[in-house]
Amino acid sequence: MQTATTDTAFQARVAAEADREVAAFLAAHDDDVRALAHRPAMARLLALAAVFTEPGSGYFAQETLATAMRRCLDRLETLQGPTGLFDGTNLSSPPDSAFTLNDACLAVRLVRATETPDHLLAEVDERLEAIIATSVDAMVAGGVHTPNHRWELSAALAQINTLHPRQDIGARIEQWLAEGIDQLPDGMYSERSPLYATAVTNPSLLTIADATGRTDLLDHVRRNLAAFLPWFNADGTVESVFSRRQDQWMQFGAAPFLHLYRRLAAQDGRADFAAAATWLARLPLHEPAKLLALTRLDPWLSAALPADPPSHAAALPAPLAPAAAALESCGAYRFRGAGSVATVFGGCDPLVPGVGSGLATNPTFLRFGHGAAVLSDLRLSRSFFDLGPFRSQDTVRQGGVLVLAEQLEANFYQPLPPARQRPDGIYALEHEGRFSAGMEFSSRAADVHWLATEIRIKAAGGEVGLDIGFEGTHTAFALELTFQPGGVLDGVEPAGAHGTFQLLGGTGTYRVGTDVIEFGPGLPADPDTPATYNPGESYRYLGGTNAAGGTKVYITGRTSGTHRFTVRGYTLAD
């Protein structure tokens, strides 16, 4: 495969950071290999193989790595089960084994691409070859349990098929691919997760495309990377509030996107992807030793990028900072202006099965940043039958306004009709939406209580206006503003726990350096409207919470009529 001129500076940096990664675990963790699970044991072996085979590495052809490499191989052979699969949280797991086998195949390819014969590399090749061969039957027959597992498993099979060609392997890959790639209309995958997009789906689709010639799969990667462009943050993170996986609760670092943008920037000659790759390269490299292995095997990754880098290192390049962006299928919207960025999220999934893995349930409906000052989470609690915070179930655009809406219902139940009564008093155990009980709720008449909440949001010129309206039950609400720590609050009063405040009138400010976020107006205190966040019974029953961490300010009131609030950013004069 021919590419543009090699980017020698990038290659040298990757090799140097890979050396540091390897040096760190050799110094601190060389003796702990016997405690490693299969995936980190294989990742370590791949890292060692990457620097051992890299002429620009300080570990190039260093036999001092032999002991560490053999310990990793010993550990992998010990952990591989009789079927050829590996155990983890998921026992005898084809998809979990696929992560390890993908790295194993990568290591074998790396070893075989090394021109100089070496007895240690020959041993690594032979022992990994045996591990891979033992797994084939189980991997071909095995199943999955998350959307991305299909592609990780298929990627492993595609690599295995280049080493052990079998007709049934190709047929199995096609069987998985025939389900269709789970890509939403706006380019996100069904899990809506930057973590799984970078760790699994996109790398897997690239691997399958390269190994099988299915170049159509690259179009899915292109669409996903294009969809993510507006969602990077100047602090080196990428927005994940809309994810259906665990990263919806995290500040997800953007560095894992680097090799994806770099590959397709070089292959397609795309200036927007090149701008993203150049900006991402300013961050600490993610898994540099694995990146080194990939650059050795994929010439596109080591090619010079097709466009000049952005002129200002601290700023996001233009392709990553449009004035507005939307992921309609995720209910996510972003607005930039006057040095501020506002992110609106109204795409929570229905909680019919309850809070659980695989659902988007983050109740943060607004994030707002102005320079170093960041309002990381704006949430709304209501004292309504312990059903938890506001989560929009219906988000629409009305001109320049986003309308987020939710209606909650809770019931009191009437006596069972005579025909459903039982002499023994034992009735069907049912879940009625809040709790479960042996009361056969579905056979009872109900008195319904309801509360409708609508939040109208307009973002423009570095300012966000919010109209929060209620209908139905008259009860208390608490608007919770959570700021990233490190700034100074003004205009607020202490409220209960340390680090918790309340805005009782007028406006408050949060300042970091010269960057300021102004918010308000506040509302008077009322003993019946507590300044607190309630995650809902589904969390509290188990002693859990989904509370955001940071400096908190509450504005409290009653669920009657409409309340108008404003959040805006500005910069103080030096």
Side-chain angles (χ1 to χ4, degrees):
M1 178 164 48
Q2 297 297 316
T3 69
T5 305
T6 299
D7 187 340
T8 56
F10 178 73
Q11 279 191 302
R13 181 194 170 193
V14 174
E17 292 203 24
D19 279 1
R20 285 192 286 272
E21 180 186 4
V22 169
F25 71 65
L26 287 177
H29 304 296
D30 190 37
D31 292 331
D32 71 352
V33 176
R34 288 171 294 182
L36 288 180
H38 60 96
R39 287 174 62 178
M42 184 60 239
R44 182 172 297 187
L45 178 58
L46 177 60
L48 292 164
V51 296
F52 188 91
T53 58
E54 168 55 46
S57 167
Y59 291 103
F60 178 60
Q62 292 296 309
E63 293 295 324
T64 53
L65 298 184
T67 298
M69 294 172 81
R70 289 183 176 121
R71 283 176 175 170
C72 291
L73 288 162
D74 291 343
R75 182 61 177 160
L76 289 167
E77 290 165 349
T78 298
L79 291 174
Q80 190 172 32
T83 66
L85 299 178
F86 292 91
D87 284 343
T89 303
N90 305 306
L91 302 179
S92 297
S93 167
D96 288 281
S97 300
F99 287 97
T100 291
L101 292 167
N102 266 312
D103 279 357
C105 290
L106 186 59
V108 168
R109 291 168 54 206
L110 190 64
V111 167
R112 294 180 182 179
T114 302
E115 297 179 358
T116 305
D118 181 273
H119 71 282
L120 176 58
L121 293 183
E123 179 184 346
V124 171
D125 187 339
E126 180 182 0
R127 293 174 70 179
L128 281 181
E129 170 82 14
I131 289 170
I132 294 165
T134 303
S135 74
V136 177
D137 289 342
M139 291 293 287
V140 171
V144 302
H145 68 268
T146 71
N148 69 76
H149 282 171
R150 296 171 293 177
W151 321 133
E152 183 74 27
L153 182 56
S154 295
L157 289 172
Q159 289 204 83
I160 290 170
N161 204 36
T162 65
L163 302 174
H164 299 274
R166 280 176 29 175
Q167 186 173 359
D168 59 341
I169 297 178
R172 185 62 161 176
I173 294 170
E174 289 303 319
Q175 189 176 7
W176 287 118
L177 292 178
E179 295 186 8
I181 306 301
D182 56 318
Q183 192 159 46
L184 301 171
D186 50 33
M188 288 291 146
Y189 299 115
S190 66
E191 293 174 293
R192 301 175 4 183
S193 164
L195 170 60
Y196 287 94
T198 53
V200 187
T201 303
N202 284 326
S204 295
L205 294 179
L206 285 172
T207 297
I208 300 166
D210 290 344
T212 67
R214 285 285 304 269
T215 56
D216 57 298
L217 297 177
L218 298 180
D219 289 337
H220 294 285
V221 181
R222 292 181 179 104
R223 290 181 59 211
N224 185 250
L225 295 181
F228 268 111
L229 282 174
W231 298 93
F232 292 99
N233 302 314
D235 65 356
T237 62
V238 63
E239 186 56 69
S240 58
V241 67
F242 46 74
S243 173
R244 286 189 165 120
R245 299 303 300 270
Q246 62 266 39
D247 50 339
Q248 67 184 278
W249 310 107
M250 299 162 51
Q251 279 192 297
F252 187 76
F257 279 92
L258 171 61
H259 78 282
L260 300 166
Y261 282 108
R262 189 174 182 92
R263 156 70 187 261
L264 287 172
Q267 184 171 346
D268 297 348
R270 287 187 62 152
D272 55 349
F273 284 10
T278 301
W279 178 78
L280 288 162
R282 292 192 170 96
L283 305 175
L285 296 181
H286 176 69
E287 296 182 345
K290 183 171 184 177
L291 180 60
L292 178 62
L294 292 171
T295 59
R296 293 277 312 287
L297 295 170
D298 184 351
W300 292 119
L301 289 177
S302 58
L305 294 175
D308 293 331
S311 58
H312 197 276
L316 286 169
L320 279 64
L327 295 170
E328 298 281 358
S329 67
C330 303
Y333 306 84
R334 174 161 276 193
F335 306 91
R336 298 178 187 272
S340 298
V341 55
T343 301
V344 178
F345 175 56
C348 285
D349 291 316
L351 300 185
V352 175
V355 174
S357 178
L359 295 175
T361 62
N362 194 322
T364 296
F365 65 87
L366 177 69
R367 288 179 168 163
F368 184 88
H370 185 83
V374 178
L375 170 62
S376 61
D377 301 89
L378 185 63
R379 298 178 175 185
L380 178 66
S381 280
R382 297 136 312 166
S383 298
F384 185 80
F385 292 88
D386 216 10
L387 287 177
F390 171 83
R391 293 182 175 93
S392 179
Q393 299 297 305
D394 182 27
T395 299
V396 297
R397 291 197 208 213
Q398 294 181 357
V401 176
L402 293 171
V403 183
L404 284 59
E406 177 195 48
Q407 180 163 318
L408 299 177
E409 293 184 353
N411 300 332
F412 290 107
Y413 294 91
Q414 297 292 332
L416 281 169
R420 301 299 301 177
Q421 294 173 358
R422 293 176 54 93
D424 62 6
I426 303 300
Y427 298 97
L429 179 66
E430 294 180 359
H431 185 72
E432 61 87 58
R434 289 189 293 151
F435 53 88
S436 301
M439 288 186 63
E440 200 170 322
F441 294 113
S442 61
S443 297
R444 299 172 183 268
D447 301 326
V448 180
H449 291 252
W450 61 278
L451 176 65
T453 305
E454 180 181 271
I455 303 179
R456 302 177 67 86
I457 302 175
K458 184 172 184 178
E463 180 173 302
V464 178
L466 302 102
D467 290 324
I468 303 179
F470 303 96
E471 290 185 55
T473 301
H474 187 220
T475 184
F477 77 81
L479 187 65
E480 181 191 68
L481 299 89
T482 302
F483 297 92
Q484 285 186 2
V488 177
L489 279 167
D490 192 32
V492 299
E493 301 292 334
H498 177 70
T500 300
F501 303 88
Q502 189 167 1
L503 184 63
L504 302 177
T507 58
T509 60
Y510 186 73
R511 177 178 56 82
V512 179
T514 60
D515 297 320
V516 180
I517 296 175
E518 181 182 79
F519 54 92
L523 294 171
D526 182 333
D528 295 321
T529 58
T532 187
Y533 172 75
N534 181 359
E537 185 177 19
S538 58
Y539 283 92
R540 293 196 302 109
Y541 178 75
L542 298 174
T545 186
N546 63 5
T551 301
K552 298 179 182 295
V553 177
Y554 291 95
I555 302 173
T556 64
R558 306 293 294 180
T559 59
S560 59
T562 299
H563 303 266
R564 175 165 291 182
F565 304 99
T566 301
V567 178
R568 74 181 186 97
Y570 62 89
T571 301
L572 298 173
D574 291 334

